[in-house]
Amino acid sequence: MIEVREGKTMKKTITIVTLPAVGMAQTAIVVTALALATSGCSTMVAYSGKANAPLQTLKYTQGVGSVVEKDEVHEIFMYPTFKMQGTTMTTFTIGYANNAAEPVNFTTNNVKAFFRGQPVPIYSYTERIAEIQREKTSKQIALAIVGGLAAGAAAYGASHQTYTSNYHGYVAGRGGVTAFSGANTVRVYDPFAGLVAGAAVGAATGVGVQQIEYNARNQEQAANSILQANTVDPLHMVSGELILKGCCDPYPEPNDVIRFEVTANGKTSVFEFERTKVSAR
């Protein structure tokens, strides 16, 4: 058994099992990938906006509440990007409209997040892309190692075959009839069969590597929605996603909130969202 660990949350296990020969030796390769969620991957959390009157209002669209704040210099809205979310990669959408007379630069640096009073980092676009690339590389390396071991075991099992023949009979003599039986075992080495078996497992490994690459590209496309640096001209608006890094605890507490402080046009606005655990069925 060989274990390959990826980061803190993924473990790949390869178990090579040799089955007893029945006429012909057989080798089975079993590759099992175990995703171990150390932070409770089955826990889902719902977020509810809390409007701080009189400046803020709460407006609903398809059950998702947006907290909106509007004054003479700007309008800002925030809402949870997904109705229910896991306890990692918690994501909110923010929109900013510039009602002032001068352009305003608006980025993730304008936003601070807090959970239970402690600051929470917010991904920038470049940070998220770098993380996706690191995860992709580590997964591909781990899969290549596992696939190489499996291919070698498959090639060995296929190239080393065992053939068994059984015999029995009776011999009549002066003393009566005597029964006899036995077995002959022959081991045959076939390098071509080993090459074919090894190539088959290698091809499957190649498909897995390509799938990891495809998944990473999809993640990179999704990362394009992260709020990036924008110069917002007067009477223009920008929006994007805020992805919290390393947040949050899978066990919501009473009055548990995520707090955002958004600074623009020389003013700081506070947005709060209460966390509620969603029971799994």
Side-chain angles (χ1 to χ4, degrees):
M1 179 178 292
I2 299 162
E3 295 182 355
V4 181
R5 295 184 180 273
E6 300 179 16
K8 298 180 180 178
T9 60
M10 181 69 73
K11 179 175 74 175
K12 293 185 181 297
T13 303
I14 173 171
T15 306
I16 302 176
V17 183
T18 302
L19 303 180
V22 180
M24 179 180 292
Q26 300 175 3
T27 301
I29 309 300
V30 182
V31 181
T32 307
L34 299 177
L36 302 179
T38 59
S39 58
C41 65
S42 60
T43 301
M44 300 297 290
V45 177
Y47 292 89
S48 303
K50 298 174 62 178
N52 297 313
L55 290 178
Q56 295 180 343
T57 57
L58 187 59
K59 299 180 179 179
Y60 287 91
T61 302
Q62 291 294 97
V64 178
S66 298
V67 179
V68 182
E69 179 175 311
K70 184 177 182 179
D71 58 28
E72 67 281 359
V73 293
H74 62 222
E75 179 175 351
I76 302 173
F77 66 83
M78 286 192 68
Y79 62 86
T81 306
F82 308 101
K83 256 186 181 181
M84 293 181 291
Q85 305 191 41
T87 54
T88 59
M89 306 292 289
T90 305
T91 306
F92 290 81
T93 299
I94 185 171
Y96 166 78
N98 183 13
N99 297 333
E102 300 294 330
V104 173
N105 291 326
F106 193 76
T107 73
T108 53
N109 293 331
N110 293 73
V111 185
K112 294 181 180 180
F114 300 87
F115 177 58
R116 295 176 183 166
Q118 298 300 314
V120 178
I122 299 175
Y123 278 102
S124 68
Y125 172 77
T126 54
E127 287 175 334
R128 180 63 184 136
I129 291 297
E131 182 178 86
I132 292 169
Q133 289 296 319
R134 286 196 302 270
E135 290 177 352
K136 180 191 73 172
T137 301
S138 65
K139 288 178 182 178
Q140 288 178 334
I141 291 173
L143 182 59
I145 293 172
V146 172
L149 292 171
Y156 180 86
S159 62
H160 292 71
Q161 304 291 349
T162 300
Y163 298 88
T164 301
S165 60
N166 298 309
Y167 60 87
H168 65 275
Y170 303 91
V171 177
R174 292 183 179 181
V177 178
T178 302
F180 65 90
S181 63
N184 290 322
T185 300
V186 179
R187 291 186 61 82
V188 178
Y189 174 64
D190 182 357
F192 180 74
L195 290 174
V196 172
V201 176
T205 301
V207 171
V209 170
Q210 291 176 359
Q211 183 63 45
I212 293 172
E213 180 73 35
Y214 177 76
N215 292 344
R217 287 201 300 267
N218 286 343
Q219 289 178 318
E220 289 178 359
Q221 290 178 356
N224 285 325
S225 60
I226 292 176
L227 179 67
Q228 300 180 49
N230 294 272
T231 298
V232 187
D233 291 324
L235 303 180
H236 284 71
M237 173 184 158
V238 67
S239 65
E241 291 181 358
L242 303 173
I243 302 178
L244 304 185
K245 185 188 299 184
C247 185
C248 297
D249 187 313
Y251 308 105
E253 300 176 354
N255 301 317
D256 220 357
V257 299
I258 292 181
R259 173 189 174 96
F260 294 92
E261 294 181 359
V262 184
T263 301
N265 302 96
K267 299 178 62 176
T268 298
S269 304
V270 175
F271 294 80
E272 294 182 330
F273 295 87
E274 188 171 6
R275 305 172 74 236
T276 305
K277 183 178 180 179
V278 180
S279 301
R281 294 183 179 180

